[in-house]
Amino acid sequence: MEQEKSRQAVILTVIVSLIFLVLLYFSRRVVTPFVVAFALAYLLDPLADKLESFKISRTFSVFLLMGGFFFGCLGAGLLVFPMFRLQAESLIKDLPGYLAVVQEWIRPVLNQVSDLDPEKAQEILNRELIKFGELPLKILTHLTGFLWDSITGLFNIILMIANIVIIPVAMFYLLRDFDQINEKFFNLIPPRNRDKTREVVKDIDQVLAGFVRGQLMVALIMAFLYFVGLYLCGTPMSLFIAILAGLANLVPYLGLILGFVPAATLTFLQTQEWFPVLGVAGVFAVVQAFEGMLITPRVVGENIGLHPVAIMLAVLLGAEFFGFMGVLLAVPVVAVFNILLSRGFVSYKKSSFFTSS
């Protein structure tokens, strides 16, 4: 009888979860600001609790945290975007010189290939290099068109304005009432399942804390260290490469690949010397060692327990179904699912269906 009830509970949970995911997918544009607001409230809740422990009212603590957070983001944006624009303009200006260097590298190889018309090969090479040189402008054009298409139309404009208003408002109420919301949630759970649910939620909170409050902090610290090192090495687009490498480090070793290769290539094209390239290699080696020995153990503690392939798959699926927001939330969601799946496997191995001969 108990097994039948457990089976029915599992089936009901799966059905409700699938219905919820379908509704979430079709309402993703409306739900997104509330998801962002909840994520930010979850991120700042420990700080609000800390301020509250100093006899500061919860409401005033929330005002302080939200003000500091949004002004900090605004200040970082005002600092980062102009620097990124200057570096992008400098790269576009120097790009013809880089293409000429690459052309000089390839020409001797083409001259050694038999049965190949040198003039025709040179013509093809020039055409392809011109296309490559126009790639940044094409990317910028497509990005501008995408952003413009995103805000055109009455509904999109209204939705954009609503998001700007909804996110801070919803964030304020969620952060202020975070503990009460948790308590009301647990009061809805039958008493017989309350302790087990608290254990699951505690495990989920530890994993999310390791990722949201840990891995993202590690990524930002590494991006800053990469930027300082690459800037001193004279690497073009050092800010973009540093941010890319730092955020890509959420997938183990991916940041090293996506960061070092373009940094080393652009540095050599810029300086035409190997010594700065060795400096770039030293920057990545030092930051990676610093991250492994000091930053991650101090900030994160333990790993979130996901395989690198699972992380990459989660990011790609999140981008496919939910866009940029899916990229941000993919790994935390899969980390939560991994905990639930692990507990499900433990219960399955303890069941009579698995143990009976």
Side-chain angles (χ1 to χ4, degrees):
M1 191 65 178
E2 288 295 328
Q3 292 182 357
E4 183 65 24
K5 288 184 178 180
S6 300
R7 190 180 303 111
Q8 291 177 356
V10 171
I11 294 174
L12 181 61
T13 302
V14 171
I15 293 174
V16 171
S17 300
L18 290 176
I19 294 174
F20 174 76
L21 291 175
V22 171
L23 292 176
L24 181 64
Y25 175 74
F26 285 106
S27 62
R28 61 190 183 278
R29 298 179 67 183
V30 177
V31 174
T32 295
F34 295 97
V35 174
V36 174
F38 177 80
L40 294 175
Y42 174 80
L43 183 67
L44 297 177
D45 179 63
L47 296 177
D49 293 338
K50 190 70 175 178
L51 290 176
E52 201 174 6
S53 66
F54 295 138
K55 306 303 180 182
I56 301 175
S57 69
R58 182 75 179 191
T59 301
F60 188 65
S61 300
V62 171
F63 274 120
L64 287 177
L65 289 174
M66 290 185 61
F69 177 80
F70 284 112
F71 278 113
C73 291
L74 179 61
L78 294 176
L79 178 66
V80 168
F81 283 110
M83 295 177 62
F84 177 73
R85 181 177 179 179
L86 289 174
Q87 290 192 347
E89 291 176 352
S90 177
L91 176 65
I92 294 174
K93 179 181 177 181
D94 296 335
L95 199 57
Y98 299 160
L99 297 180
V101 173
V102 175
Q103 193 175 24
E104 290 298 322
W105 293 347
I106 300 177
R107 183 179 290 113
V109 177
L110 295 177
N111 293 336
Q112 294 177 3
V113 178
S114 59
D115 301 328
L116 185 64
D117 185 0
E119 294 183 358
K120 187 174 182 180
Q122 185 67 37
E123 180 183 351
I124 295 174
L125 177 61
N126 291 337
R127 185 168 64 247
E128 295 303 319
L129 287 177
I130 290 174
K131 290 181 180 180
F132 179 77
E134 295 174 348
L135 187 60
L137 294 177
K138 291 182 178 179
I139 293 175
L140 184 60
T141 302
H142 286 299
L143 180 60
T144 304
F146 172 76
L147 293 175
W148 177 249
D149 292 338
S150 298
I151 63 174
T152 53
L154 180 60
F155 177 75
N156 287 332
I157 293 175
I158 294 174
L159 190 61
M160 181 181 66
I161 297 174
N163 289 346
I164 295 175
V165 176
I166 288 173
I167 289 176
V169 173
M171 177 183 172
F172 169 79
Y173 285 109
L174 287 172
L175 184 56
R176 190 193 65 176
D177 303 329
F178 203 87
D179 295 335
Q180 290 89 333
I181 293 173
N182 286 338
E183 193 62 32
K184 289 180 180 179
F185 167 76
F186 280 113
N187 289 335
L188 294 175
I189 300 172
R192 62 181 180 277
N193 298 328
R194 201 166 291 172
D195 291 338
K196 184 177 292 186
T197 303
R198 287 186 184 274
E199 293 178 4
V200 174
V201 172
K202 184 178 179 181
D203 290 342
I204 291 174
D205 181 65
Q206 289 178 349
V207 170
L208 291 182
F211 178 79
V212 178
R213 300 170 192 147
Q215 293 285 4
L216 290 181
M217 182 62 69
V218 170
L220 293 176
I221 294 174
M222 293 185 68
F224 175 75
L225 295 176
Y226 280 139
F227 170 65
V228 173
L230 295 178
Y231 182 80
L232 294 176
C233 292
T235 303
M237 295 296 293
S238 56
L239 180 62
F240 175 76
I241 294 174
I243 294 175
L244 176 65
L247 294 179
N249 194 68
L250 297 175
V251 179
Y253 306 110
L254 184 61
L256 184 63
I257 298 172
L258 295 181
F260 175 71
V261 174
T265 303
L266 289 176
T267 301
F268 184 77
L269 290 174
Q270 176 75 16
T271 62
Q272 297 290 295
E273 297 178 358
W274 286 107
F275 184 75
V277 178
L278 293 178
V280 171
V283 168
F284 277 87
V286 170
V287 173
Q288 285 289 326
F290 193 56
E291 179 266 336
M293 292 186 296
L294 184 62
I295 300 176
T296 297
R298 290 290 183 89
V299 177
V300 179
E302 298 180 356
N303 197 290
I304 59 175
L306 288 179
H307 195 276
V309 175
I311 296 176
M312 287 187 284
L313 181 61
V315 171
L316 292 176
L317 289 176
E320 176 68 22
F321 289 105
F322 297 98
F324 180 70
M325 191 53 56
V327 174
L328 295 179
L329 299 178
V331 179
V333 169
V334 173
V336 172
F337 179 75
N338 182 55
I339 288 180
L340 298 177
L341 194 63
S342 299
R343 284 183 167 269
F345 281 144
V346 171
S347 300
Y348 166 70
K349 290 182 178 181
K350 291 181 179 179
S351 65
S352 58
F353 177 80
F354 182 82
T355 57
S356 60
S357 57

